[in-house]
Amino acid sequence: MARSVYVTGIGRGDGRQAVELGVMELLTRHVDRVGLFRPLVHPPTDHVVELLRGRYRLDLTPEAMYGLSYDEAAAIQAERGQDELVGQLVDRFRAVERACEAVLVLGTDFASTNIPDELALNARLANEFGASVLPVIGGHRESADTVVNEVRNAHRSYSDLGCSILAMIANRVAPSDKQAITRRLTNKPDVPCYVIPDDPALSAPTVTQVAEATHAEVVLGDPAGLARDVRRFVFGGAMLPKFLDALSDGCLVITPGDRADLLIGALAAHAAGAPPIAGVLLTLGETPGPNVMKLADRLAPGTPVLAVQEGSYPTAMDLSTLEGRLTAASPRKAETALGLFELHVDTAELTDRIELSRSERVTPMMFEHELLERARGAELREIVLPEGTEERVLRAAEVLLRRNVCHLTLLGTEDAVRRKVAELGLNLSFDAADTGAESNGARARARIIDPVTSPLRDRFAEVYAELRKHKGMSVELALDVVSDVSYFGTLMVQEGLADGMVSGAVHSTAATIRPAFEIIKTSPDAKIVSSVFFMCLADKVLVYGDCAVNPDPDDEQLADIAIQSAETASRFGVSPRVAMLSYSTGTSGSGADVDKVRKATELVRGQRPDIAVEGPIQYDAAVDASVAATKLPGSAVAGQASVLIFPDLNTGNNTYKAVQRSAGAIAVGPVLQGLRKPVNDLSRGALVQDIVNTVAITAIQAQQAAAQQTAAQQAAQQKESAQ
């Protein structure tokens, strides 16, 4: 029987969709086949079901995820009674349950329905499904007393109806009331109670939703601009200087269509990043002439300009009750919701209560979820991103901050970074730059540092000159060197002002790793710096090394790469079974290339007898059990290798790209190994999700480096005490 969670509530406006998204994230993090079921739906489709189905690539048809429409349910209940209604819904649920390891059930929405006593119906359905209930109680604009009482009443109601309650969640509470509500709910009721504060970014409508609500025509704008959050409305009627003072981050300007001065003024302010607006809505059915609109498009490309026939007052009435919602078209809101859920809900405790055990199969999605979860850790790490004005880096930064993965330092001039953020319409705010690594806050934050004007530049020049004095480096020359973003970021890591660095979206691999070689240097327990890719295939994750750094390693270097790669695999949850690849298997071939692999294999066995290793071995014999049974029977590695070591860079780089493109694998990396502190390179073709994954890996490496340093210090202290 699948493990099922039934998310329900007691009324409207509880923001339950954010919780449903968080629970789905939790389920897909641990098991492969997750199902989704909405017993009652408002046709034709449900925006939350569509969001979850698309985001998590659920292997179910849309029809299978729905039970009945509310009208159908009301008719069945009226004509044949509730038992018949429940029976039909149970049958449809069981079909989903049989195909899945876990199922998320979305309870009724209490919106415009003709079903009497929805709370009791939800409770009965949960019991018939054998699902644990997770009630969500809305706290928007409610006092702390009201929220506490509603949580306790809801717990009593569902308990009295025989439900097995997983936990209680008070959602959208006033941030100032969170601690008091949490304290008052401790141990009363006798299940975990989580309190999630309200976040205006979730209730803010997107520009697209504004256009739909007002039946507006999109005059200018691209999809990214239309996905921007509208955080407030500014009605333009004053003269331009006064109007500019009223603008704020994320506002939607609403102004009569004949006010070309306000349109151009608002877009010029946005282009300067002071402040970045969501867009402009022109009223009265008018738009400025073609020359003005052409200028508007050039000033702020992609920024939405909408037009409606109505005046400002009726438009304001249409927008007065508009709230944002989670849909497949609002992925940034989904990231915000997940960040809130993971920050305020004890996901480890909730996982235990659902009795989720990790699937033996590791899918790409599960691997990526695990990266983000581990990266948060007990203490957020500081990661420096030298390419602070690159679009993909900024989009990744927004995801990382919304998911609360780590603190970020973006390098570049402040004006350029803010202008790019405004141009992209991103919701990124920055703390004031400082010279210390502020890494202890519960919420992830970002800052901007300009290497050319930073007070750290003089300090870094002295450090670099000392490190490279054997090469004739002076402080004067070093001042120029350390103003380069790659060198500046590397020195931040070396000096403990950042925990790791990720670069390479626009810089070459050499530009990224050369400063690391010069400044951070190789770890004492590694002979060389090498790299691995995590290759996320449909049903497993393989580790490929070395595909990015060493052109033609000798046998000792190849052995070192294998040992490092096995350790990296183990640190990231991949049980290492190492295949030393060659064009022949076992003793079937000879020659310098095969002999190198054979010697390297023996070195690994001698240095690390705890590592399962086989070589030389061909790729097919390494990963295919049927081929292995013929070519290398009895091997503990053949047919089930998880770490594949290539004999040279030519073979490794081409193979990883071939598998990535031809098999549709997700390649995470390259992840550098063997450095004293974590610095990682990106492919110049990296996607936003690739950057997010690499930053998460870097944060995890930083955690591990800190743990190793702490353990070494403790060992030294114990040794000193013993003496």
Side-chain angles (χ1 to χ4, degrees):
M1 179 181 292
R3 290 146 294 182
S4 303
V5 178
Y6 195 113
V7 180
T8 183
I10 59 174
R12 298 189 63 186
D14 53 23
R16 197 187 323 157
Q17 298 84 0
V19 175
E20 291 164 344
L21 184 67
V23 175
M24 178 60 79
E25 181 88 5
L26 193 66
L27 295 176
T28 55
R29 189 181 295 162
H30 289 82
V31 299
D32 180 19
R33 298 189 310 279
V34 178
L36 179 66
F37 187 66
R38 170 78 87 180
L40 300 179
V41 64
H42 295 287
T45 58
D46 183 282
H47 64 88
V48 178
V49 170
E50 290 305 300
L51 166 66
L52 298 178
R53 187 173 71 90
R55 183 182 180 91
Y56 296 101
R57 301 188 288 276
L58 302 182
D59 191 20
L60 290 169
T61 64
E63 295 76 17
M65 299 182 192
Y66 296 124
L68 299 167
S69 72
Y70 280 95
D71 289 342
E72 290 171 332
I76 292 170
Q77 181 160 310
E79 294 173 9
R80 287 175 275 175
Q82 191 178 83
D83 288 348
E84 176 64 23
L85 169 63
V86 171
Q88 289 195 27
L89 293 175
V90 168
D91 288 342
R92 298 193 181 201
F93 168 77
R94 295 292 180 221
V96 175
E97 184 186 45
R98 284 192 293 271
C100 302
E101 298 172 76
V103 182
L104 172 62
V105 185
L106 312 181
T108 65
D109 57 14
F110 294 86
S112 303
T113 67
N114 48 5
I115 302 292
D117 199 354
E118 283 188 57
L119 189 151
L121 177 61
N122 281 303
R124 181 172 178 188
L125 289 175
N127 291 336
E128 298 290 354
F129 294 169
S132 298
V133 174
L134 182 61
V136 181
I137 290 80
H140 185 52
R141 296 178 180 170
E142 301 287 356
S143 68
D145 286 343
T146 300
V147 173
V148 170
N149 290 334
E150 290 283 8
V151 170
R152 291 174 177 168
N153 288 336
H155 179 266
R156 184 176 298 109
S157 296
Y158 280 105
S159 294
D160 290 347
L161 291 167
C163 294
S164 171
I165 299 178
L166 185 64
M168 304 291 296
I169 293 182
N171 191 35
R172 299 191 69 190
V173 306
S176 58
D177 291 337
K178 179 185 183 299
Q179 288 188 347
I181 293 171
T182 301
R183 185 173 58 252
R184 291 175 61 183
L185 289 175
T186 302
N187 299 323
K188 293 181 180 180
D190 58 350
V191 296
C193 293
Y194 308 118
V195 182
I196 302 177
D198 195 24
D199 187 329
L202 280 179
S203 55
T206 63
V207 178
T208 293
Q209 289 167 353
V210 168
E212 292 171 350
T214 59
H215 306 289
E217 175 192 358
V218 178
V219 180
L220 295 176
D222 59 20
L226 291 167
R228 295 177 189 175
D229 291 337
V230 177
R231 281 177 262 173
R232 65 185 290 254
F233 300 106
V234 172
F235 289 85
M239 296 303 290
L240 184 60
K242 192 73 174 175
F243 166 76
L244 291 176
D245 289 339
L247 298 180
S248 61
D249 287 359
C251 70
L252 180 73
V253 172
I254 301 175
T255 183
D258 59 359
R259 291 297 303 270
D261 58 331
L262 300 188
L263 169 65
I264 296 301
L267 295 178
H270 173 84
I277 65 172
V280 179
L281 175 60
L282 303 175
T283 63
L284 298 176
E286 294 190 28
T287 56
N291 290 340
V292 173
M293 296 309 296
K294 185 180 293 186
L295 175 60
D297 194 24
R298 286 178 141 185
L299 267 176
T303 298
V305 176
L306 312 178
V308 295
Q309 295 297 318
E310 300 286 350
S312 295
Y313 181 76
T315 300
M317 295 301 294
D318 288 339
L319 298 175
S320 61
T321 58
L322 182 64
E323 280 202 347
R325 61 183 184 180
L326 291 171
T327 69
S330 57
R332 293 163 62 197
K333 284 189 183 299
E335 301 296 349
T336 300
L338 287 171
L340 274 174
F341 183 85
E342 290 158 346
L343 183 63
H344 298 287
V345 173
D346 187 338
T347 54
E349 179 181 48
L350 200 58
T351 299
D352 289 342
R353 289 182 64 83
I354 301 173
E355 298 182 348
L356 287 176
S357 56
R358 189 167 297 279
S359 171
E360 291 184 3
R361 282 184 9 131
V362 179
T363 67
M365 185 178 295
M366 292 166 66
F367 182 74
E368 290 179 345
H369 290 344
E370 178 74 8
L371 289 181
L372 298 187
E373 182 180 26
R374 290 182 59 189
R376 293 181 197 96
E379 178 182 336
L380 298 185
R381 296 292 159 178
E382 180 87 31
I383 306 300
V384 58
L385 303 175
E387 298 156 326
T389 58
E390 163 60 28
E391 176 178 345
R392 291 165 294 159
V393 170
L394 289 170
R395 292 192 184 280
E398 185 183 46
V399 173
L400 290 160
L401 294 178
R402 287 181 179 232
R403 295 297 299 274
N404 207 47
V405 173
C406 60
H407 298 304
L408 297 173
T409 297
L410 301 174
L411 300 186
T413 64
E414 184 158 352
D415 285 347
V417 174
R418 290 186 182 277
R419 192 159 47 246
K420 191 66 175 180
V421 168
E423 177 188 322
L424 297 172
L426 301 178
N427 186 9
L428 274 175
S429 57
F430 298 99
D431 289 356
D434 54 41
T435 57
E438 179 193 339
S439 300
N440 296 317
R443 287 293 297 178
R445 60 104 186 99
R447 58 181 177 173
I448 304 169
I449 295 180
D450 182 355
V452 176
T453 61
S454 170
L456 290 169
R457 184 182 177 190
D458 291 336
R459 170 181 163 184
F460 286 174
E462 292 179 1
V463 172
Y464 184 71
E466 179 64 26
L467 287 170
R468 304 294 289 174
K469 63 183 179 182
H470 63 289
K471 294 289 187 178
M473 181 60 61
S474 65
V475 173
E476 290 74 18
L477 291 172
L479 279 169
D480 287 335
V481 174
V482 303
S483 63
D484 176 86
V485 291
S486 297
Y487 277 90
F488 192 94
T490 305
L491 281 157
M492 286 187 69
V493 177
Q494 173 66 15
E495 292 296 288
L497 303 178
D499 298 302
M501 183 180 90
V502 174
S503 187
V506 293
H507 290 93
S508 67
T509 294
T512 299
I513 67 177
R514 185 186 297 114
F517 288 163
E518 294 178 3
I519 297 166
I520 294 176
K521 304 184 185 302
T522 306
S523 175
D525 58 355
K527 293 183 176 64
I528 58 172
V529 174
S530 61
S531 73
V532 296
F533 279 90
F534 291 97
M535 301 299 295
C536 301
L537 303 175
D539 60 348
K540 59 187 171 183
V541 176
L542 299 178
V543 177
Y544 283 9
D546 172 12
C547 303
V549 179
N550 298 285
D552 189 18
D554 61 27
D555 52 358
E556 291 188 355
Q557 292 172 330
L558 198 59
D560 192 61
I561 292 169
I563 292 171
Q564 289 186 54
S565 300
E567 291 176 345
T568 299
S570 183
R571 291 190 190 109
F572 286 90
V574 178
S575 180
R577 294 180 294 276
V578 181
M580 307 293 286
L581 298 176
S582 177
Y583 59 77
S584 71
T585 295
T587 60
S588 65
S590 62
D593 292 338
V594 180
D595 290 342
K596 178 180 78 169
V597 175
R598 184 174 289 115
K599 291 175 183 177
T601 304
E602 293 307 317
L603 287 171
V604 174
R605 286 174 176 153
Q607 294 172 28
R608 291 292 302 273
D610 57 309
I611 295 177
V613 61
E614 189 67 71
I617 186 171
Q618 292 161 289
Y619 192 100
D620 59 348
V623 300
D624 189 312
S626 62
V627 176
T630 301
K631 291 188 174 183
L632 213 59
S635 171
V637 172
Q640 52 183 339
S642 58
V643 179
L644 298 110
I645 306 302
F646 296 92
D648 54 59
L649 185 59
N650 181 49
T651 308
N653 192 268
N654 278 297
T655 302
Y656 108 75
K657 288 181 177 177
V659 173
Q660 179 186 32
R661 300 298 178 184
S662 300
I666 297 172
V668 180
V671 177
L672 298 184
Q673 51 192 16
L675 288 169
R676 291 176 183 266
K677 295 185 178 183
V679 170
N680 281 311
D681 182 34
L682 296 165
S683 164
R684 275 173 281 182
L687 303 176
V688 171
Q689 190 58 45
D690 298 333
I691 300 172
V692 170
N693 291 337
T694 303
V695 171
I697 284 174
T698 308
I700 295 168
Q701 288 178 314
Q703 292 170 358
Q704 294 165 347
Q708 290 171 354
Q709 183 178 9
T710 301
Q713 291 171 346
Q714 292 173 346
Q717 291 171 355
Q718 291 173 356
K719 183 177 180 180
E720 184 178 339
S721 299
Q723 292 174 346

